[in-house]
């Protein structure tokens, strides 16, 4: 008697909005191929209304997330790194399906986890490095501290895991919340990352991940009046000028790096790009 | 039932009871299904723009908190007159709804604007007070200048079958109102069944209500589409029976422009065009107005707006 064949349990890749995994409001999806050009999976194709819902979710989560102590945010980010480590094999498998060799895939996943841990450590240290106690001509203690900018729209680069974590971690570690448009050709790893985020104490809405057409979603996010900053790292070059113009509508902060090398030392630039400096004058002796 | 019977006072509780229980029962599944079906209707572009403006003009901008201050009421009145200070083409709202002791503040703030001042009365929201106190509350609000009175029915009496007491109370408050419009709050969240909603609607209309209103906003569930559907059917049938048009006001829990437009579809399909006016249909809300303004600005500018650009209350 032959072994009964198991029914294939295929994964449905959906969006990640407000801590839940909804399908696109539009009902659309698009086919993602593996390295050999064969069918891999269907990814949700988000619409502008999904982007709008994601911004609402991010705005709702902002107060709570930015109000946590940096130490607590660091702990939660470290918890995410633990979960990433637990799914190491799955990420390596996904990168290999996407075309990376075994050694390269392993190296990228390890680098991504290390990158996440590196940013997690910055949570309660950035304030000491970029903040300051200022000498002033008067009886005041005068402090400058970095404060999160708000809701950040992130157009993620095509590097499926290392690039993705390198743009998300620095945004949320300082207390921002974000709406991420995942890589158009490689969206599936982003949704697997969302599964990690959903199971690691990160409050719903702090990270929202959309998959779909960048050219369709990016302009709505860049023009959205309730978004405070945009990271154009993965935006198509021909779209960048119009996105910057749209972002000027409510004076969003815009990060527009070129030729990022994800394996290099990231520096503080991506964290300081999305913080505001708040200066407090506190009377001496009170 | 003849027209005379519907306009005459009932002789006894037994007669009223027999009449109200003689009303056809509500098909619960059917009502919910119809409300859900109508809620799926897609309203876009120019129709959406018109619906948003109509909805704004139907809003009873409401603040009913223990912490209300004269300053807050004045701020609300300023918003009622010019909901979006940057855009004079936004219509003003229908009315401002406050507690009876703040009516004079609202009346002064809205002087000459054409916006009515509505006041809740009769021991809102519980309605648990002696009739004399309820009438005194009503007279005080009318004397202070309220053009509309939102009263609550005695749900305890209604649920225990003492319909005549409810009827007489509504009739007495109606008399105390004088020229002011009377809105009768059924508090459908406490009436349990759609049959009770239908009976309470007919009871209130028979007793002289100018409007029937779903809820105080203090009880959950507040306004829902199926409940509003049942009430809209009641005013439609009451008009067919007597010729008198009674308005409907869902209140509580309506927070988004999408919700508001669903209610407008329901009005259009149930009671008809005659009710698509602030004189016959109102929406009791506070946070809804901001969402309507945000949607309106999205249509006008083509980009999504945010809550930062509108006043909080």
């Amino acid at each position: 008697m032959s072994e009964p064949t198991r029914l294939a349990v295929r994964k449905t890749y959906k969006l990640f909005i407000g801590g839940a995994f909804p399908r696109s409001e539009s009902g659309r999806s698009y086919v993602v191929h593996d390295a050999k050009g064969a069918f891999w999976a269907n990814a949700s194709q988000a619409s502008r209304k999904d982007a709008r819902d994601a911004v609402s979710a991010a705005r709702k989560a902002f107060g709570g997330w930015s109000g946590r102590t940096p130490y607590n945010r660091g702990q939660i980010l470290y918890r995410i790194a633990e979960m990433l480590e637990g799914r190491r094999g799955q990420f390596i498998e996904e990168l290999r399906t996407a075309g990376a060799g075994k050694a390269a895939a392993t190296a990228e996943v390890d680098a991504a986890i290390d990158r996440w841990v590196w940013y997690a450590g910055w949570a309660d240290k950035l304030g000491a490095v970029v903040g300051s106690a200022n000498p002033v001509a008067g009886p005041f203690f005068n402090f400058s501290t970095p404060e999160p900018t708000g809701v950040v729209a992130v157009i993620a680069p095509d590097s499926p895991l290392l690039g993705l974590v390198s743009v998300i971690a620095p945004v949320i570690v300082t207390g921002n919340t974000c709406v991420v448009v995942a890589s158009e050709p490689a969206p599936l790893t982003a949704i697997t990352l969302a599964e990690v985020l959903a199971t690691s104490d990160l409050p719903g809405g702090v990270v929202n991940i959309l998959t779909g057409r960048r050219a369709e979603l990016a302009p709505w996010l860049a023009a959205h009046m309730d978004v405070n900053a945009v990271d154009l790292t993965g935006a198509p070059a021909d779209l960048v000028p119009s996105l910057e113009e749209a972002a000027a509508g409510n004076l969003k902060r815009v990060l527009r790096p070129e030729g990022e090398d994800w394996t290099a030392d990231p520096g503080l630039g991506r964290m300081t790009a999305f913080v505001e400096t708040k200066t407090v004058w506190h009377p001496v002796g009170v | 039932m003849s027209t005379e019977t519907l306009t005459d006072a009932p002789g006894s509780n037994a007669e009223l009871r027999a009449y109200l229980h003689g009303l056809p029962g509500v098909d619960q599944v059917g009502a919910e299904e119809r409300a859900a079906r109508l809620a799926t209707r897609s309203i876009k572009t120019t129709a959406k723009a018109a619906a948003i403006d109509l909805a704004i003009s139907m809003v009873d901008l409401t603040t009913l908190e223990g912490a209300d201050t004269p300053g807050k009421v004045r701020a609300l009145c300023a918003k009622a007159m010019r909901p979006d200070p940057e855009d004079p083409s936004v219509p003003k709202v229908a009315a401002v709804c406050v507690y009876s002791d703040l009516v004079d503040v609202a009346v002064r703030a809205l002087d000459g604007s054409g916006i009515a001042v509505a006041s809740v009365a009769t021991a809102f929201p519980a309605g648990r007070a002696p009739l004399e106190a309820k009438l005194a509350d009503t007279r005080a609000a009318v004397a202070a200048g309220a053009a509309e009175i939102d009263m609550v029915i005695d749900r305890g009496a209604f649920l225990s079958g003492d319909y005549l007491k409810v009827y007489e109370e509504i009739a007495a408050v109606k008399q105390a109102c004088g020229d002011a419009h009377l809105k009768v709050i059924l508090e459908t969240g406490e009436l349990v069944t759609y049959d009770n909603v239908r009976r309470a609607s007919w009871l209130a209309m028979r007793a002289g209500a100018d409007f029937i209103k779903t809820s105080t906003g203090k009880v959950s569930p507040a306004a829902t589409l199926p409940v509003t559907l049942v009430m809209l059917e009641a005013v439609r049938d009451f008009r067919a029976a007597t010729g008198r048009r009674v308005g409907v006001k869902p209140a509580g829990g309506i927070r988004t422009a999408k919700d508001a437009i669903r209610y407008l579809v329901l009005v259009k399909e149930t009671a008809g065009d005659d009710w698509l006016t602030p004189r016959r249909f109102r929406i009791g809300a506070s946070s809804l107005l901001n969402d309507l303004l945000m949607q309106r600005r999205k249509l006008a500018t083509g980009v999504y707006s945010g809550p930062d650009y509108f006043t909080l209350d």
Side-chain angles (χ1 to χ4, degrees):
Chain A
M1 199 177 138
S2 63
E3 284 285 307
T5 44
R6 278 192 70 225
L7 218 56
V9 181
R10 294 202 182 83
K11 185 152 119 189
T12 307
Y13 290 86
K14 294 185 280 188
L15 308 174
F16 183 52
I17 298 174
F21 291 91
R23 288 183 170 79
S24 168
E25 155 279 334
S26 62
R28 300 175 305 176
S29 62
Y30 69 109
V31 173
V32 180
H33 299 282
D34 64 14
K36 299 191 184 96
F39 174 84
W40 181 358
N42 288 311
S44 285
Q45 189 183 334
S47 67
R48 66 178 168 88
K49 295 193 177 173
D50 295 312
R52 174 200 62 188
D53 293 348
V55 172
S56 308
R59 173 58 63 199
K60 209 169 147 197
F62 178 71
W65 182 241
S66 60
R68 287 179 185 242
T69 60
Y71 178 73
N72 183 235
R73 282 200 298 270
Q75 294 253 296
I76 291 173
L77 258 69
Y78 191 78
R79 174 80 178 155
I80 295 170
E82 292 171 6
M83 296 288 129
L84 282 169
E85 186 72 29
R87 292 208 188 208
R88 194 164 161 272
Q90 183 186 358
F91 280 111
I92 292 174
E93 204 51 49
E94 279 194 9
L95 294 187
R96 293 193 64 189
T97 311
K102 187 171 182 186
T106 307
E108 175 164 354
V109 172
D110 287 349
I113 298 172
D114 293 350
R115 177 67 43 86
W116 197 280
V117 172
W118 188 82
Y119 274 120
W122 273 108
D124 53 0
K125 300 173 187 71
L126 189 73
V129 174
V130 304
S132 56
N134 313 313
V136 290
F140 298 97
F141 293 124
N142 186 290
F143 305 103
S144 294
T145 48
E147 297 270 314
T149 296
V151 175
V152 182
V154 178
I155 316 298
D158 281 335
S159 167
L161 186 61
L162 182 56
L164 185 67
V165 304
S166 301
V167 295
I168 295 178
V171 169
I172 61 172
V173 70
T174 53
N176 296 298
T177 57
C178 63
V179 177
V180 181
V181 180
S183 159
E184 195 169 316
L188 303 185
T189 318
I191 299 304
T192 306
L193 177 68
E195 291 165 10
V196 168
L197 301 175
T199 51
S200 42
D201 296 342
L202 190 74
V206 172
V207 176
N208 304 276
I209 299 181
L210 305 173
T211 59
R213 308 279 176 241
R214 286 168 178 151
E216 179 189 354
L217 298 171
W220 288 102
L221 290 168
H224 199 305
M225 297 296 275
D226 203 26
V227 171
N228 304 103
V230 280
D231 174 356
L232 299 178
T233 305
D238 56 328
L239 219 56
V240 167
S242 67
L243 292 178
E244 288 190 323
E245 202 174 311
N250 67 337
L251 306 178
K252 289 180 186 65
R253 288 191 178 275
V254 178
L255 181 67
R256 184 191 170 188
E258 281 176 21
E260 289 272 300
D261 174 10
W262 299 116
T263 54
D265 175 6
L268 303 185
R270 287 192 162 269
M271 286 183 285
T272 53
F274 303 117
V275 292
E276 316 289 327
T277 299
K278 181 174 83 177
T279 297
V280 179
W281 296 66
H282 188 76
V284 171
V286 174
Chain B
M1 185 70 57
S2 68
T3 308
E4 290 73 42
T5 325
L6 280 171
T7 46
D8 289 351
S12 68
N13 192 43
E15 183 198 327
L16 193 56
R17 183 185 172 83
Y19 167 67
L20 291 175
H21 284 258
L23 289 169
V26 179
D27 170 3
Q28 182 183 345
V29 174
E32 284 167 1
E33 166 65 22
R34 174 140 179 89
R37 178 84 55 89
L38 289 174
T40 62
R41 191 169 293 179
S42 188
I43 308 290
K44 299 289 179 200
T45 61
T46 48
K48 185 177 181 184
I52 287 175
D53 278 4
L54 183 59
I56 293 174
S57 72
M58 288 174 166
V59 166
D60 274 10
L61 199 56
T62 303
T63 181
L64 296 171
E65 302 296 333
D68 284 347
T69 58
K72 186 178 175 192
V73 170
R74 277 193 290 271
L76 201 74
C77 292
K79 184 162 182 162
M81 291 186 278
R82 279 288 285 275
D84 185 349
E86 291 175 33
D87 186 352
S89 69
V90 178
K92 59 187 192 225
V93 306
V96 168
C97 185
V98 294
Y99 271 116
S100 47
D101 60 331
L102 290 165
V103 166
D104 58 333
V105 178
V107 166
R108 253 177 286 142
L110 291 171
D111 186 31
S113 68
I115 297 173
V117 176
S119 166
V120 295
T122 70
F124 179 93
R128 299 250 69 89
L131 180 60
E132 298 77 49
K134 292 182 180 181
L135 294 178
D137 195 8
T138 307
R139 287 194 201 98
V142 173
E148 302 174 0
I149 298 293
D150 290 27
M151 72 168 285
V152 288
I153 64 167
D154 185 342
R155 280 90 72 191
F158 183 88
L159 290 171
S160 60
D162 196 352
Y163 299 127
L164 193 63
K165 182 176 178 205
V166 180
Y167 179 97
E168 285 173 346
E169 208 166 87
I170 297 172
V173 173
K174 171 74 185 165
Q175 204 162 22
C177 280
D179 290 337
H181 269 60
L182 178 64
K183 305 198 198 101
V184 178
I185 303 173
L186 309 181
E187 195 62 300
T188 54
E190 293 182 345
L191 296 186
V192 189
T193 65
Y194 292 130
D195 286 344
N196 275 346
V197 172
R198 177 170 283 174
R199 286 174 196 141
S201 300
W202 280 85
L203 177 61
M205 290 188 292
R206 225 181 128 174
D210 297 302
F211 259 85
I212 48 177
K213 175 174 167 183
T214 59
S215 341
T216 57
K218 306 286 186 195
V219 168
S220 183
T224 65
L225 283 170
V227 154
T228 311
L229 174 71
V230 170
M231 289 166 62
L232 283 163
E233 285 172 351
V235 297
R236 178 195 64 195
D237 296 344
F238 188 78
R239 181 206 187 176
T242 66
R244 190 163 79 85
R245 289 177 214 171
V246 176
V248 176
K249 176 179 171 185
I254 306 169
R255 293 201 179 83
T256 64
K258 199 175 263 182
D259 284 343
I261 291 173
R262 286 178 181 152
Y263 278 95
L264 295 184
V265 171
L266 204 61
V267 173
K268 164 91 180 163
E269 292 296 330
T270 310
D273 289 345
D274 286 350
W275 267 264
L276 278 178
T277 147
R279 284 171 46 240
R280 304 258 177 272
F281 191 76
R282 296 279 182 83
I283 303 171
S286 38
S287 57
L288 169 67
L289 184 57
N290 271 4
D291 199 62
L292 287 166
L293 295 175
M294 265 195 279
Q295 294 300 321
R296 199 177 189 281
R297 200 175 286 181
K298 156 73 177 63
L299 287 176
T301 62
V303 305
Y304 286 117
S305 191
D308 284 358
Y309 305 93
F310 302 95
T311 54
L312 285 175
D313 286 312

